[in-house]
Amino acid sequence: MPRKFTPKVVTANHLLEGDVIYLTAKGTWSRRLEDAALYTEEAEANERLNFAATQADILVGAYLADAQAGPDGPEPTHFRETFRTRGPSNYAHGKQVEL
Amino acid sequence: MYTYSEFDKDFLAERNAQFRDQVERRIDGSLTEEEFRPLRLMNGLYLQLHAYMLRVAIPYGTLNSAQMEQLALLADKWDKGYGHFTTRQNIQYNWPKLRDVPDMLDALGEVGMHAIQTSGNTIRNVTADHFAGAAADEIADPRPVAELLRQWSTDHPEFQFMPRKFKIAITGSPNDRAVTAAHDIGLRIVEKDGQIGYQVLVGGGLGRTPMIGKVLNEFVTIDDLLPYLEATVAVWNVIGRRDNKYKARIKILVHEFGLENLQDEVAKEFELRKPLYDTDAVLGQLAAIAPDFASPAFQTASTAIYQTAYDTDPIFRAWADTNLAEHRADGYAIVTISLKKHGETPGDASADQMRLMAQLAREFGHDELRISHEQNVILPHVHKSHLKEIHERLRGAGLATANVGLLSDIIACPGMDYCALATARSIPVAQEIATRFDELKLEHEVGELKIKISGCINACGHHHVGHIGILGLDRAGVENYQITLGGDGTEDAVIGTRTGPGFSYDQIVPAIETLIRTYLDLREGAEETFLAAYKRVGVDPFKAALYPEAKSRAA
Ligand code: HEM
Ligand code: SF4
C-alpha cells in the first residue's frame, strides 16, 4: 500500500546567500517557514516543486519537506527541518538572530 | 597538486579567474546547478544546511605565519570571524556568500594557498603525521615520500578511473599519529638491519564498513616502493568490484579475496612492473623534494627558565604535562595548542586566535604551524626557553587549555549543526561532555581518553577508533546516539565494539558519565588507562552499567 501523503512545504537554499528559503502561496520565496504554503495534496506539492525547479536563478536544491499546520503557519515535524529554521546550536548565527 | 612550489601564483590566479567566471555564469543563468555543482566542488565550495562552506586545503597540515594570518583575514572579512579546523587537516569556513568566494580564493592565492579538492575516483591527497620532522620518536620525516607519492599518482594515467577513491597515509614514527591503519594504503617507515624501509598496510577505512588495514608487506625498500604500490593499486583496479559503490573500496577486496591471495597477486604484478621503473630517476626526484622539508636551524640555549617555571608554577606545569611532546632536537619541545576549551566547539579558532598563533610561530616557532587531525594547532619547533611566555600569551587568548589527550580533547565532526548529510548533531554533544567533566574536575584523574563523535555513518569524526566512539543517528525522527568502546587509532588500531541500543540526546552525556565512573571503579590504578582497562575486562561491565534494566531482566 502506498504511504499516506503527509503535508509538505517546498524549501531550498538561496543561490547567492546559501540560506534556507521557503515557497509562499504567492509563488515568492521567504526566509521564514511560517510564510510558506503548506500542501496537503500530493499532486499540488509536486506541481509546486516542479515550479521551484524552474527558478534556478534564485535557488539551489529544492525539495519537499514535511511540515504541519500551526497557529502562525507551517511548523517543522522533523528535527532537521527545525534546525534549518534556526541555524546552528553552537553559535547564535543564522536565522535565530537574523530574522 | 598539493605543494606551494608547484602552485605558483600564476597558475592559481588563472584557475581562480576561471572559477570567478563560472560563478558569474551560474548567477546569470548560463550554467545550471547541475553543470555548476562539480565545478564548485572541485574548488572546495560545498552547500551545507544553512549556507555555503569553503574547504581550504592545508597540505600535510603544514603552514607558516603569513598563511595563518591570511586564514584569519578570510574569517574576518568573509565569514563570521572564525574558522573550523577539521580531521582532514583543512579549514572550513561556514558562512561564505557565493559572490565572495572568488575574492576569498584570490586572497588565499596571495599566500600560495587554495581550496582545490582532489575529487573523483583517483588517488587522493596523501596525509602524514602532524609531528613529522619534529618528533623524537621519528625514524625519518615521512613528508618527502608523501610528496613523492602525490606527484607520482597525480597524473598517473592508470589511476584516473579507479573503482573508487583511494587514500594513502604515512607515518615516520613507530607511534602512529596518522591513523595509517584506517586508510586504503598505510605506510609506516621502519628500520631493519640499519636500513630504512616501508611497511605497507592495505584495506583500512572507516565509514559504512569500518576495517583496520592489514600488513600486505613488512618491508619494502624505497627502490621498490613505487612499483610495489603501483602493483597493489593495479591488482585492485582489475579485480576490485565496480558493481556496488559501497563494495568498491580496496578494503572489500582484502576481505573477499583474502590477504594471502592479494599478496601473491601483488608480488606477481610487482615483478612485471619493477623493470619498467627508473629507480635512479625516482631517487633523484625524492632528493629534489627533500629540501622543501628541511629542518630549521635549531638554536642551543639554556632551558633554565623553563625548568624554574615548571617547578614553581602549577598552571604552567599542568599545561606542560599535557600539551608538550618530545622533540628530536635538544632543548626543544612540540607544543600542541588546544582548540578544545571546555564548552567551545572542537576545532574552531577565532580570527584573533589565529593571528596570535601566527605571531607566536613567527617569534618563537621557526615560522611553522601544523594542523592535527585531532583538530588542534601545533607549534612543531619551540625552544623550551620560550614556553613560559608562549603559555602566558596563549592564556590571554583562551588557548591554554591543558587537556591534550584527555577526555575533553574530543574530535567532533560538524554534524547536523552544519552538514547536509548529517543524521544528528555532534558539536553540542562534545560541548556538553567537556563542560560536564570540567564541572566534575575529573578529567586529569581519568587520564588519557579519546572520545570521537560523528554525526552520520560517513564517520568524519573517526568514532570507530575512539576509545569511546559516539555515532549520531536519526531513529524514527529523533536523534539517537550509539556508543562504541575500545576503538584505537594508533599502531595497535582496533575498531570499537558497539555497546547496544543507542541513547537519546538527553541521555548521551549521562551515559558517557556512567562509562567513566564505571572505569574509575574498576581500574587497577591511575596508570591503567581507560583503553587498557577496557582491554582487560571487556565490554560486559560497561554494558551492565549502561543497561541496568537488561541485567535485571536477565536475572
Ligand atoms: C560538512 C561537510 C562535510 C561533508 C559533506 C562530508 C562528507 C563526507 C562523506 C560523504 C564521506 C564519505 C566518503 C566516502 O566514503 O565515499 C566523508 C568522509 C570523511 N570525512 Fe567528511 N564531510 C564533511 C566534513 C568533514 C569534516 C569537518 C571532517 C573533519 C572533522 C571530515 C573528515 C572526513 C574523513 C576523515 C573522512 C574519511 C572517513 C573514512 O575513512 O572513510 N569531513 N565525508
Ligand atoms: S560524519 Fe556525516 S555528519 Fe559528520 S561531517 Fe561527515 S558527513 Fe557530515
Side-chain angles (χ1 to χ4, degrees), chain B residues 38-242:
Chain B
L39 301 172
R40 70 169 159 78
L41 292 176
M42 258 164 46
N43 285 282
L45 185 63
Y46 298 72
L47 186 62
Q48 304 203 96
L49 278 185
H50 313 294
Y52 287 98
M53 179 271 279
L54 184 68
R55 177 181 283 170
V56 177
I58 303 173
Y60 309 119
T62 300
L63 72 172
N64 61 31
S65 59
Q67 292 172 323
M68 184 64 113
E69 279 166 354
Q70 199 73 346
L71 295 180
L73 179 121
L74 264 75
D76 267 342
K77 197 163 170 185
W78 293 293
D79 205 275
K80 295 187 188 287
Y82 76 102
H84 177 72
F85 291 101
T86 82
T87 53
R88 280 176 167 174
Q89 295 179 309
N90 49 37
I91 182 169
Q92 297 187 173
Y93 292 101
N94 286 322
W95 302 96
K97 305 276 190 273
L98 182 58
R99 274 194 201 284
D100 293 334
V101 173
D103 292 341
M104 295 173 82
L105 297 178
D106 282 348
L108 289 169
E110 286 169 20
V111 291
M113 297 186 83
H114 62 84
I116 298 169
Q117 301 295 311
T118 46
S119 61
N121 294 334
T122 60
I123 297 188
R124 297 295 183 84
N125 56 318
V126 180
T127 51
D129 181 3
H130 47 267
F131 287 173
D137 58 9
E138 185 169 276
I139 296 168
D141 188 337
R143 292 173 300 169
V145 169
E147 176 56 20
L148 176 72
L149 294 174
R150 191 198 60 73
Q151 292 181 8
W152 160 76
S153 65
T154 299
D155 294 315
H156 197 302
E158 203 175 340
F159 300 157
Q160 302 310 308
F161 300 99
M162 304 200 299
R164 200 76 165 77
K165 66 180 177 181
F166 199 84
K167 293 188 196 166
I168 303 178
I170 178 166
T171 174
S173 299
N175 297 303
D176 185 353
R177 288 172 290 259
V179 210
T180 59
H183 289 73
D184 296 288
I185 284 188
L187 297 174
R188 294 171 175 171
I189 299 181
V190 286
E191 217 168 352
K192 197 171 81 179
D193 308 327
Q195 202 197 358
I196 281 183
Y198 300 82
Q199 186 191 58
V200 180
L201 288 95
V202 69
L206 303 177
R208 190 173 297 265
T209 319
M211 287 190 193
I212 294 300
K214 295 189 172 137
V215 177
L216 185 66
N217 197 316
E218 286 291 354
F219 194 88
V220 178
T221 62
I222 185 66
D223 291 7
D224 290 347
L225 188 63
L226 295 189
Y228 190 81
L229 295 183
E230 187 180 284
T232 308
V233 178
V235 167
W236 167 63
N237 216 351
V238 172
I239 59 179
R241 291 179 59 160
R242 288 170 193 261

Side-chain angles (χ1 to χ4, degrees), chain B residues 123-426:
Chain B
I123 297 188
R124 297 295 183 84
N125 56 318
V126 180
T127 51
D129 181 3
H130 47 267
F131 287 173
D137 58 9
E138 185 169 276
I139 296 168
D141 188 337
R143 292 173 300 169
V145 169
E147 176 56 20
L148 176 72
L149 294 174
R150 191 198 60 73
Q151 292 181 8
W152 160 76
S153 65
T154 299
D155 294 315
H156 197 302
E158 203 175 340
F159 300 157
Q160 302 310 308
F161 300 99
M162 304 200 299
R164 200 76 165 77
K165 66 180 177 181
F166 199 84
K167 293 188 196 166
I168 303 178
I170 178 166
T171 174
S173 299
N175 297 303
D176 185 353
R177 288 172 290 259
V179 210
T180 59
H183 289 73
D184 296 288
I185 284 188
L187 297 174
R188 294 171 175 171
I189 299 181
V190 286
E191 217 168 352
K192 197 171 81 179
D193 308 327
Q195 202 197 358
I196 281 183
Y198 300 82
Q199 186 191 58
V200 180
L201 288 95
V202 69
L206 303 177
R208 190 173 297 265
T209 319
M211 287 190 193
I212 294 300
K214 295 189 172 137
V215 177
L216 185 66
N217 197 316
E218 286 291 354
F219 194 88
V220 178
T221 62
I222 185 66
D223 291 7
D224 290 347
L225 188 63
L226 295 189
Y228 190 81
L229 295 183
E230 187 180 284
T232 308
V233 178
V235 167
W236 167 63
N237 216 351
V238 172
I239 59 179
R241 291 179 59 160
R242 288 170 193 261
D243 55 323
N244 179 335
K245 175 175 142 177
Y246 297 119
K247 296 200 164 182
R249 302 273 305 249
I250 197 169
K251 61 190 175 188
I252 305 295
L253 176 65
V254 176
H255 190 68
E256 293 186 349
F257 190 61
L259 181 66
E260 280 175 22
N261 289 333
L262 184 61
Q263 282 167 329
D264 291 346
E265 289 301 313
V266 170
K268 276 188 240 160
E269 191 67 31
F270 171 73
E271 290 310 323
L272 301 176
R273 286 170 186 261
K274 170 73 180 163
L276 307 176
Y277 260 80
D278 180 349
T279 306
D280 290 338
V282 171
L283 296 180
Q285 196 182 349
L286 187 60
I289 293 167
D292 282 348
F293 299 100
S295 283
F298 294 122
Q299 66 178 112
T300 45
S302 161
T303 58
I305 323 178
Y306 165 72
Q307 205 51 54
T308 310
Y310 189 87
D311 293 340
T312 57
D313 177 348
I315 296 180
F316 176 74
R317 184 163 60 239
W319 177 78
D321 284 343
T322 47
N323 294 36
L324 300 184
E326 212 179 326
H327 198 283
R328 66 189 168 82
D330 254 6
Y332 271 74
I334 302 170
V335 176
T336 300
I337 300 172
S338 169
L339 298 184
K340 313 289 177 67
K341 190 175 174 199
H342 301 102
E344 300 289 329
T345 303
D348 278 9
S350 70
D352 285 341
Q353 290 177 326
M354 291 183 217
R355 277 187 286 265
L356 174 70
M357 294 187 281
Q359 185 58 30
L360 293 175
R362 184 179 290 127
E363 279 178 59
F364 306 115
H366 298 276
D367 207 35
E368 219 182 288
L369 297 129
R370 305 274 175 84
I371 309 305
S372 77
H373 73 84
E374 296 187 319
Q375 302 180 284
N376 290 316
V377 174
I378 286 146
L379 300 173
H381 309 295
V382 177
H383 192 270
K384 287 185 178 170
S385 56
H386 303 308
L387 288 171
K388 176 74 177 142
E389 180 173 353
I390 288 177
H391 178 249
E392 258 154 42
R393 285 166 64 180
L394 288 173
R395 268 182 90 182
L399 285 172
T401 312
N403 65 347
V404 170
L406 301 182
L407 194 158
S408 58
D409 187 8
I410 300 173
I411 293 189
C413 80
M416 206 180 275
D417 289 302
Y418 298 91
C419 178
L421 303 176
T423 42
R425 287 172 294 173
S426 43

Side-chain angles (χ1 to χ4, degrees), chain A residues 13-20 56-57 59-61 78-80 83-84 86-91 93-94 98, chain B residues 26-27 33 49-52 80 82 95 97-98 345 348 416-418 420 423 425 427-428 474 477-479:
Chain A
N13 288 75
H14 192 266
L15 172 65
L16 297 179
E17 303 293 315
D19 60 347
V20 174
D57 55 333
L59 58 87
V60 184
H78 188 278
F79 62 92
R80 184 178 194 270
F83 296 143
R84 288 179 81 246
R86 287 205 299 246
S89 47
N90 60 331
Y91 294 109
H93 288 158
E98 283 165 10
Chain B
R26 172 66 182 93
I27 292 172
E33 184 61 22
L49 278 185
H50 313 294
Y52 287 98
K80 295 187 188 287
Y82 76 102
W95 302 96
K97 305 276 190 273
L98 182 58
T345 303
D348 278 9
M416 206 180 275
D417 289 302
Y418 298 91
T423 42
R425 287 172 294 173
I427 290 170
D474 172 351
V478 183
E479 286 168 298

